[in-house]
Amino acid sequence: MNAIYLVTDDRLADVAGVQAQRLAEQWQCDVHIFVERRDPAKAVREFHHGDRIHYHYEELGGLVPEGLPEDRKWPRIVYMRLFAPSLLPQYDRLLYLDADILSLRAEPAVWNVDLPAGIGAVSDIATLESAPYDLKGVSREKWLAAVGVKSGRYLNSGMLLIDTAKWLKIDFAAELRRYFAAYPEAARYDQDFLAHLFDGRWTELSPRLNYQAYVMELGLTRAVAPVFVHFCRTQKPWYGDSRGWRAPTDPSYTEIYQEMFRTAGLNPDDYTRPNKVNALRRARYRLRLWLRRFGVISGRERRDIETWRKRSDSFLHFMQKGLATGQFADEGRKRLDAPRCAPVFDGRFAVGVENRPDLREQVKEEASRV
């Protein structure tokens, strides 16, 4: 028997709830939502799908050792995903998902992937070739050494496939204390910890199971055919349509969330979060588009298109090599067959237009306004 679980606070409880309904319907399995409220007296709206969705309140906080490092981006709640399996011992396999991950379809074969160390995960795509963007001037090798990773492999903890019996043999409280005493420079707390604890032993899964924001606009979505899309960037699709030079996220994802909210009886407008671009920047972006109509290509466009191609080439190489060598334990494919689409520069972002049929017209429309 298998189940999916999410860990959230009350701020994302509705998003997690509508996602749980979608997961229960698609995957036909139990879904557990662990809610850690800032105010335990605060009511949380619950969502159900038959008897498949189960809520838990404030059950995990007490299991996490005191004194672990945390900050605004990586708060204490990130550790709680490690302890939830101890409350779900009745399941053979568990699939953990961040609340900002969207399930596009079920992939039941995932439950049968062999997990010798008890964990399957996807590489952190943004750090395949370099250290995290905020570590200026630090090599990838030096960064990995500082967080205790010797294998060169670093995972993203937003999606974890877990063999419950093997997981429960680990004393995570003790291991966490030991880890941060030995590696005080670790700053992506639970993720660094897991990459170290299972260094070289975690089963690598295809990026289709954790299709991260870093690669969404690189023109390969159709080829990769993601199962889970991970919106690990500041602008979330439920905040509203991200066109208008706020983020390059495909607006079709916003439409999916809006439909999920409506189906659950919620008003999508209640979850939007305006993120306006100031007038000066908007004018600058439009000017680039207007000049482009006359064959004047800005330095910004040249640089961004070149960066897009390098990133897209790198990710394509990673995927093709991984498929050809059997690196991804969940994949049966030997190569990506769907073509990569070309980028379009919208004045601020270079974006692959495979899922953006509106984008070319949008670029023309914005340019004509200047």
Side-chain angles (χ1 to χ4, degrees):
M1 188 165 60
N2 310 306
I4 298 171
Y5 74 96
L6 303 91
V7 180
T8 185
D9 60 18
D10 45 287
R11 290 172 294 187
L12 285 179
D14 283 357
V15 174
V18 296
Q19 176 68 297
Q21 287 185 316
R22 184 180 180 90
L23 291 164
E25 172 66 27
Q26 290 180 339
W27 288 75
Q28 292 296 298
C29 70
D30 288 348
V31 181
H32 291 262
I33 305 176
F34 291 85
V35 184
E36 295 291 322
R37 294 170 290 190
R38 292 166 294 172
D39 177 3
K42 184 174 182 179
V44 170
R45 184 176 6 233
E46 293 191 357
F47 299 81
H48 295 282
H49 183 82
D51 60 354
R52 291 195 180 278
I53 299 177
H54 309 271
Y55 277 82
H56 308 258
Y57 295 97
E58 288 77 53
E59 294 186 11
L60 297 175
L63 302 178
V64 179
E66 294 296 331
L68 298 182
E70 58 182 285
D71 57 33
R72 183 175 180 181
K73 186 175 180 181
W74 301 81
R76 181 178 171 81
I77 197 171
V78 300
Y79 298 110
M80 297 182 192
R81 72 192 75 185
L82 308 178
F83 295 90
S86 67
L87 303 178
L88 304 171
Q90 68 271 34
Y91 298 102
D92 300 310
R93 289 288 177 90
L94 292 168
L95 186 62
Y96 166 77
L97 297 175
D98 276 356
D100 62 352
I101 287 181
L102 175 67
S103 174
L104 297 183
R105 67 179 187 280
E107 190 77 15
V110 166
W111 298 123
N112 299 318
V113 172
D114 189 27
L115 301 175
I119 181 176
V122 176
S123 288
D124 188 67
I125 306 301
T127 60
L128 285 175
E129 297 179 347
S130 62
Y133 70 92
D134 56 324
L135 299 180
K136 307 296 184 183
V138 178
S139 69
R140 187 173 189 271
E141 292 72 21
K142 185 176 180 180
W143 161 61
L144 289 177
V147 299
V149 174
K150 298 178 181 179
S151 67
R153 300 171 59 219
Y154 186 81
L155 56 79
N156 183 285
S157 62
M159 188 286 301
L160 301 172
L161 182 63
I162 294 169
D163 182 310
T164 312
K166 292 177 181 177
W167 194 264
L168 297 185
K169 293 179 181 179
I170 301 170
D171 184 343
F172 280 98
E175 292 290 349
L176 282 164
R177 286 190 289 261
R178 180 198 61 78
Y179 174 72
F180 287 107
Y183 298 97
E185 293 184 45
R188 284 155 180 78
Y189 306 129
D190 71 298
Q191 194 162 278
D192 289 351
F193 166 73
L194 288 172
H196 165 77
L197 184 66
F198 296 100
D199 191 14
R201 299 185 298 123
W202 55 275
T203 298
E204 184 156 6
L205 306 174
S206 167
R208 72 194 184 108
L209 292 173
N210 185 351
Y211 197 66
Q212 298 152 41
Y214 183 80
V215 296
M216 285 181 193
E217 61 268 17
L218 299 184
L220 290 162
T221 301
R222 187 175 302 159
V224 174
V227 174
F228 297 122
V229 181
H230 188 182
F231 302 101
C232 43
R233 60 165 43 121
T234 302
Q235 186 73 19
K236 308 297 184 183
W238 58 86
Y239 290 172
D241 192 337
S242 62
R243 288 171 293 184
W245 302 305
R246 292 192 294 273
T249 303
D250 187 334
S252 66
Y253 296 127
T254 292
E255 295 167 6
I256 292 173
Y257 274 96
Q258 289 177 339
E259 182 58 31
M260 287 165 59
F261 286 133
R262 292 191 192 100
T263 299
L266 305 176
N267 182 354
D269 293 341
D270 293 339
Y271 302 88
T272 58
R273 183 181 298 181
N275 185 12
K276 296 180 180 179
V277 176
N278 68 51
L280 180 60
R281 287 191 176 187
R282 186 177 291 272
R284 188 182 303 134
Y285 303 149
R286 285 177 175 160
L287 178 60
R288 290 177 186 143
L289 296 183
W290 181 75
L291 290 172
R292 199 179 194 287
R293 296 175 66 191
F294 300 96
V296 179
I297 307 300
S298 67
R300 170 68 178 266
E301 178 173 353
R302 290 192 182 93
R303 291 191 299 271
D304 284 6
I305 292 293
E306 179 63 22
T307 298
W308 184 96
R309 293 193 185 283
K310 288 180 178 178
R311 288 176 56 199
S312 185
D313 287 348
S314 176
F315 180 55
L316 178 60
H317 175 74
F318 174 74
M319 283 297 306
Q320 296 288 35
K321 180 182 178 181
L323 292 174
T325 61
Q327 178 177 332
F328 307 131
D330 59 298
E331 284 276 16
R333 295 178 294 181
K334 293 300 181 183
R335 60 174 290 106
L336 296 181
D337 295 322
R340 173 176 53 179
C341 75
V344 167
F345 184 71
D346 68 0
R348 183 179 185 187
F349 299 110
V351 183
V353 295
E354 58 184 341
N355 293 324
R356 294 290 304 271
D358 64 300
L359 187 53
R360 292 186 189 278
E361 293 304 315
Q362 177 192 340
V363 168
K364 293 178 183 178
E365 179 184 349
E366 295 289 353
S368 68
R369 292 178 184 175
V370 178

